[in-house]
Amino acid sequence: MESENMRRKIEDEIEHTIASPVIKNKRFLEDEQLIKSEQLAVLEEIFNTNVRDMEITKLSKHFTPIFRNDHPYHIAVWGKTGTGKTLTLTYFLNLLLRLGAERNIQIRYKHLDLSTPVPCFRALNDLACLLNAMKRYQRGISLDEMMLAIEAKLADYPGYLILFIDEVDNIRRDKDTFMAFLIRRLPQKIPAKLILVFASNHLDWPDHLDPRVKSFLKMNEIIFKPYDAVDLQHILRIRVEKALCQEAIEPGVIEKIAALASYDHGDARKAVALLAKSAYLAEQRRIKVKLSLVDEAAKELDMDRYSAMLKSAPKQLQAAMASVIEAAKLQNNKRIGTADAYDAYRKFCKKARVSQLSGRAFGDLIGELDLYSFIRSRMISRGRYGRAREIILELPEELLKKIYGMILLKFQLR
DNA sequence: TGTCCACAGGAAATACGGGGGT
DNA sequence: ACCCCCGTATTTCCTGTGGACA
């Protein structure tokens, strides 16, 4: 009886999915799921619509001296996230490789992706791995050893070597050691003609560099502007064509997504994510992708961002967030001091059987939550009653509930 | 005007844990 | 098995401070 019922439901669902699908090929909505050749195919199409034409022209101008046997400068690529720095460079450098092969010029390029913050050690080790110079280490090996291994590996390669260092500013402390190695030491130790390509979000990035290294660094710059609505429309159309059923998209949807995205960030990845979310919602509700759905999707995406960030955060930070929420609930008003939060935190730690940090460390956690704008905090002075940091919870109730539930689940308190 | 609260936040010290060498 | 090295996490110690209050 029960199973009969269940069976009907599933069959119904299958029928629906086959009969009026919104999504044709889900994989093209999520970049991580594409295999390399598919990615390149998508890129090819994007660049065929003249998006990022300017930038590619500039890149060509910079690199073509290679074919006269010249040695171009290093190059810095600036642009916000999602403006296609990585994609454009990948596409361009692959092209360059092919052209080089046709003309019998030895070119190699390596892409060092520092999308998450790493210390100098990690960065060097990653680079060494990329060059197959050594295996991956957690720690316990000196920086010098890694440098030597890299140099040894490259000792008999005379051609061009292009190192594409993505998101350079992600190197935490000791940045100078890493940069000094790349800019000053490496070129002198190996026969290859080294061309460094730096990608970064911050224009002022080289300013924090050790002056001795900086003066050594000769480079050109290219700036990637955020995509405008027209570019985004091109990009979205390609995705729609590959991933969705044209009939299921109501007119104006693409334009709206492009407009929204270009208005507040110009980030292509986010635009595609918005498209994907809209499509998922449409499929769930068995309706077409219509304009109002886009707004809903945008809102959900926003909420997802917060809970996803917290989900992957360290345990202590999650505990701190939960404590703040509990403390706020206890006080009923939304303003609490660090002391209240710390009390709640102590209780929470006991409850969840998590090791409890000192007040000092807890203060840092609060600072971190503030940084990611889960909370807002500011110093207030109550005169002779001392100074305190006031914590204000400003996220929508709905989202707080979601986050709180998620954390409790994580600590198995449900 | 000076005092003094109650915490912030910097610096140094310490604990920790994974890894290599022997 | 033991010790040393290195990067990270946390603690300990300490100085600094805006403004109500006397």
Side-chain angles (χ1 to χ4, degrees), chain A residues 258-352:
Chain A
L260 276 180
S262 72
Y263 177 72
D264 63 34
H265 42 67
D267 183 333
R269 207 168 316 155
K270 286 188 192 167
V272 172
L274 186 52
L275 176 70
K277 192 89 190 179
S278 308
Y280 290 143
L281 283 182
E283 187 154 84
Q284 259 175 34
R285 298 189 199 167
R286 311 185 171 192
I287 54 176
K288 290 186 174 186
V289 183
K290 54 182 183 181
L291 288 175
S292 63
L293 215 50
V294 175
D295 292 317
E296 267 184 70
K299 201 174 133 202
E300 274 206 27
L301 221 48
D302 214 40
M303 285 178 47
D304 286 353
R305 249 191 31 239
Y306 279 100
S307 44
M309 194 186 282
L310 211 52
K311 205 178 268 180
S312 61
K315 272 198 158 182
Q316 289 291 351
L317 199 66
Q318 297 174 352
M321 186 67 206
S323 314
V324 170
I325 294 176
E326 279 177 2
K329 219 187 286 174
L330 216 65
Q331 302 274 320
N332 234 350
N333 62 356
K334 297 256 167 177
R335 304 194 161 188
I336 50 181
T338 334
D340 306 323
Y342 188 56
D343 287 344
Y345 168 77
R346 293 222 304 252
K347 267 186 226 142
F348 185 89
C349 283
K350 227 172 246 167
K351 209 166 52 176

Side-chain angles (χ1 to χ4, degrees), chain A residues 156-170:
Chain A
D156 52 358
Y157 173 71
Y160 288 94
L161 176 66
I162 303 174
L163 284 182
F164 175 20
I165 318 287
D166 211 346
E167 317 263 342
V168 237
D169 32 21
N170 263 337

Side-chain angles (χ1 to χ4, degrees), chain A residues 9-76:
Chain A
K9 267 188 191 157
I10 296 176
E11 276 176 344
D12 196 39
E13 202 56 47
I14 294 173
E15 191 120 324
H16 162 70
T17 321
I18 296 172
S20 68
V22 177
I23 299 172
K24 190 164 63 183
N25 193 345
K26 190 175 157 183
R27 288 174 44 248
F28 280 97
L29 289 176
E30 285 154 34
D31 286 328
E32 307 85 55
Q33 293 197 16
L34 291 181
I35 54 174
K36 187 127 193 191
S37 64
E38 285 172 330
Q39 271 181 2
L40 284 177
V42 173
L43 287 187
E44 196 77 40
E45 281 193 55
I46 291 177
F47 293 115
N48 275 338
T49 51
N50 295 342
V51 175
R52 290 288 172 237
D53 237 10
M54 273 255 297
E55 284 77 7
I56 291 184
T57 313
K58 280 190 196 161
L59 281 172
S60 314
K61 281 219 177 80
H62 183 87
F63 278 100
T64 38
I66 286 180
F67 299 104
R68 292 199 309 256
N69 204 23
D70 269 356
H71 188 171
Y73 285 151
H74 304 312
I75 188 165

Side-chain angles (χ1 to χ4, degrees), chain A residues 174-228:
Chain A
D174 255 10
K175 160 180 289 183
D176 286 327
T177 316
F178 185 69
M179 298 311 287
F181 171 68
L182 282 181
I183 296 168
R184 295 195 62 167
R185 177 167 161 176
L186 193 57
Q188 294 175 2
K189 300 272 177 129
I190 60 173
K193 290 177 185 145
L194 181 68
I195 306 169
L196 297 170
V197 180
F198 301 108
S200 162
N201 312 335
H202 302 291
L203 271 175
D204 60 346
W205 164 73
D207 295 344
H208 316 300
L209 229 50
D210 183 331
R212 281 168 304 174
V213 176
K214 198 179 161 192
S215 67
F216 231 76
L217 178 63
K218 292 251 189 311
M219 60 179 187
N220 271 336
E221 307 185 346
I222 293 185
I223 294 181
F224 278 53
K225 291 204 198 74
Y227 289 115
D228 62 25

Side-chain angles (χ1 to χ4, degrees), chain A residues 356-380:
Chain A
Q356 170 194 327
L357 298 183
S358 66
R360 178 70 185 82
F362 182 73
D364 285 344
L365 290 180
I366 293 298
E368 208 169 326
L369 286 174
D370 185 33
L371 188 70
Y372 297 129
S373 61
F374 285 102
I375 60 176
R376 221 153 54 79
S377 75
R378 62 168 183 219
M379 286 287 302
I380 50 161

